[in-house]
Amino acid sequence: MSDHIDPAKLDRLAEIAVRIGVNLQPGQDLVITAPTDAMELVRRITVHAYKAGAGAVVPFFSDDAMILARFENARDESFDYAPGWLYGAMAEAFKGGAARMAIKGDDPMLLAEQDPEKVARLGKATSIAAKPAMDPIVGFEVNWNIVAYPGAGWAKAVYPDLPVEEAQGKLMDAIYDASRLDGDDPVANWEAHTKTLKERVNWLNDQNFAALHYTGPGTDLHLGLADGHIWKGGASPALNGVVCQPNIPTEEVFTCPHAYKVDGTVAATKPLAHQGSVIEDIAVRFEAGRIVEATASKGEDVLKALLKTDDGASRIGEVALVPHSSPISQSGTLFYNTLFDENASCHIALGQCYADTITGGSELSPEELKQKGGNQSIIHVDWMMGSDAVDIDGITKTGERVPVMRGGEWA
Ligand code: ZN
Ligand code: ZN
């Protein structure tokens, strides 16, 4: 581990991820997915997990050098294959009551030099194979959490002018601040933060808008909301009854858009780091919920391949509001990591909706969800469309306009 990463900060991140993030219960197993780079964080999470009474803590690692080795040496058929048996085991664990922790810290440029077609094929094969393990997460059946580790490749992308070890130290500090871990009592920080998010959620649920209308540079979007949509944000109970905080950091309130009622144009306000490539200046046009035109100044082929993944990949399944004054946004840092960039900006997500953002959604079949406007896809990719130049109106069921955001801030 880089000498510049403050071990006390790393330990506090691990503790909060276990206690507030996943809120691991006594006797519960914990499944961790992580890059090998993040070993030190995995070990610290393991300590706090057993202190919290974990049954067994089980890691699944990925390794950047091994991923590159596949792209450089594997036979062509390998790019249409992912080991379903692995995800089957994870699905079994969740069925048996295990919680899930994902550690993100990947190099956003890892696959930038690789054939985009192979990247897309492997991404698709992996999404299909991983579905049994992702369904209980997307359906919020078990308590889960995503947290970040300042991996070398990622740190280098965020702070290209610094020596890599220093960049990792600086990124650790940024993760720490964004994750609201400073001060004497991070648990109290998180309780106060959740309360603020809940006030926004309650207001939006009371308004019960039919649609949102976004205007900004390159953006003029009418975004219908799903029938019976519910806004969510901050800590909430999974279906197993455990109250958890799925993302650390988190600044968003989010709900389910109507997959067939989105029209107009959107210009992304930040690059999108996706599967080892960076896509820049995304601009799209929606017609009846579907993206019918898409361009990007960089990575356009990656974007187009992504949109073609399946039927639902060119429709959206999540809409989220984040004020421009969020601490991550104010840091001015471009993280090239969705967990951070999505919490610095209003965003929408291509692909799968979260069933629990529709009333009674967890009880509905995919077909029933679809009828209410809930999108279905093997992908879920967030991209950023908020800035201090974007205004958002809520449109009520009777067609009146209510200001929701002005200049990127709550109105
Ligand atoms: Zn989101
Ligand atoms: Zn999302």
Side-chain angles (χ1 to χ4, degrees):
M1 186 177 82
S2 158
D3 288 343
H4 293 266
I5 294 177
D6 180 344
K9 288 187 173 180
L10 196 65
D11 196 64
R12 189 176 262 196
L13 179 63
E15 185 178 0
I16 291 299
V18 170
R19 286 179 54 192
I20 302 288
V22 76
N23 188 14
L24 194 71
Q25 300 296 297
Q28 205 176 17
D29 288 354
L30 182 63
V31 172
I32 304 178
T33 53
T36 46
D37 231 14
M39 184 56 98
E40 189 57 32
L41 179 58
V42 173
R43 289 186 177 134
R44 286 171 190 266
I45 285 170
T46 304
V47 170
H48 290 290
Y50 282 118
K51 280 186 180 168
V57 180
V58 181
F60 294 88
F61 286 103
S62 61
D63 180 72
D64 283 358
M66 286 176 69
I67 294 169
L68 280 181
R70 184 171 191 170
F71 277 88
E72 282 156 14
N73 301 285
R75 59 192 199 131
D76 190 64
E77 293 88 329
S78 175
F79 297 94
D80 297 313
Y81 170 74
W85 47 265
L86 170 69
Y87 302 103
M90 285 188 207
E92 190 93 345
F94 298 141
K95 242 178 260 157
R100 182 238 195 182
M101 176 96 72
I103 298 173
K104 296 284 176 189
D106 329 39
D107 177 353
M109 320 288 187
L110 183 69
L111 301 178
E113 304 298 311
Q114 304 303 322
D115 176 1
E117 198 227 322
K118 281 185 180 167
V119 174
R121 281 164 58 202
L122 185 57
K124 182 172 179 176
T126 305
S127 298
I128 292 170
K131 198 171 183 299
M134 286 312 293
D135 281 348
I137 305 303
V138 171
F140 210 18
E141 289 167 35
V142 298
N143 45 323
W144 61 275
N145 171 249
I146 301 181
V147 72
Y149 177 83
W154 179 27
K156 193 78 206 147
V158 180
Y159 305 111
D161 299 331
L162 290 180
V164 66
E165 297 232 325
E166 268 175 54
Q168 286 183 272
K170 193 165 171 178
L171 186 52
M172 180 70 235
D173 295 345
I175 291 169
Y176 190 81
D177 293 343
S179 304
R180 298 175 181 268
L181 297 177
D182 51 342
D184 297 334
D185 193 350
V187 175
N189 287 355
W190 273 92
E191 278 166 7
H193 180 44
T194 289
K195 199 165 156 261
T196 311
L197 290 173
K198 292 291 175 215
E199 284 164 13
R200 300 296 179 206
V201 162
N202 292 340
W203 181 76
L204 286 160
N205 282 330
D206 288 346
Q207 296 293 320
N208 194 20
F209 292 125
L212 299 175
H213 183 222
Y214 294 67
T215 45
T219 293
D220 183 356
L221 186 72
H222 179 95
L223 186 152
L225 296 172
D227 304 337
H229 71 274
I230 322 169
W231 289 90
K232 301 195 75 174
S236 51
L239 292 181
N240 66 1
V242 181
V243 174
C244 69
Q245 191 77 251
N247 288 0
I248 290 181
T250 187
E251 302 289 332
E252 63 173 352
V253 298
F254 61 100
T255 192
C256 189
H258 197 296
Y260 300 89
K261 294 184 181 170
V262 184
D263 288 277
T265 56
V266 185
T269 49
K270 288 174 192 286
L272 170 63
H274 177 70
Q275 289 179 345
S277 303
V278 174
I279 311 173
E280 285 178 18
D281 303 311
I282 300 175
V284 304
R285 189 165 64 80
F286 286 91
E287 253 177 46
R290 213 169 75 80
I291 293 177
V292 291
E293 261 175 61
T295 57
S297 65
K298 205 178 138 197
E300 189 174 295
D301 40 5
V302 180
L303 175 67
K304 291 205 159 138
L306 176 67
L307 293 172
K308 273 191 233 144
T309 311
D310 59 19
D311 276 353
S314 57
R315 298 181 187 274
I316 59 174
E318 179 197 337
V319 51
L321 302 178
V322 180
H324 189 67
S325 57
S326 90
I328 306 172
S329 173
Q330 289 306 302
S331 75
T333 307
L334 183 59
F335 283 94
Y336 296 105
N337 177 304
T338 298
L339 178 58
F340 286 78
D341 294 329
E342 76 164 335
N343 280 303
S345 171
C346 289
H347 57 272
I348 49 182
L350 295 171
Q352 181 64 39
C353 72
Y354 289 109
D356 66 331
T357 53
I358 292 183
T359 311
S362 308
E363 311 292 314
L364 300 179
S365 69
E367 208 36 58
E368 290 169 318
L369 276 173
K370 222 170 167 176
Q371 275 163 19
K372 292 182 178 289
N375 195 31
Q376 302 293 316
S377 172
I378 57 168
I379 66 159
H380 177 99
V381 178
D382 298 86
W383 55 278
M384 284 55 77
M385 56 178 296
S387 76
D388 57 1
V390 175
D391 291 341
I392 305 172
D393 281 341
I395 298 174
T396 65
K397 302 242 148 61
T398 53
E400 284 153 73
R401 283 178 175 268
V402 179
V404 174
M405 284 190 149
R406 284 292 175 269
E409 299 302 325
W410 291 104

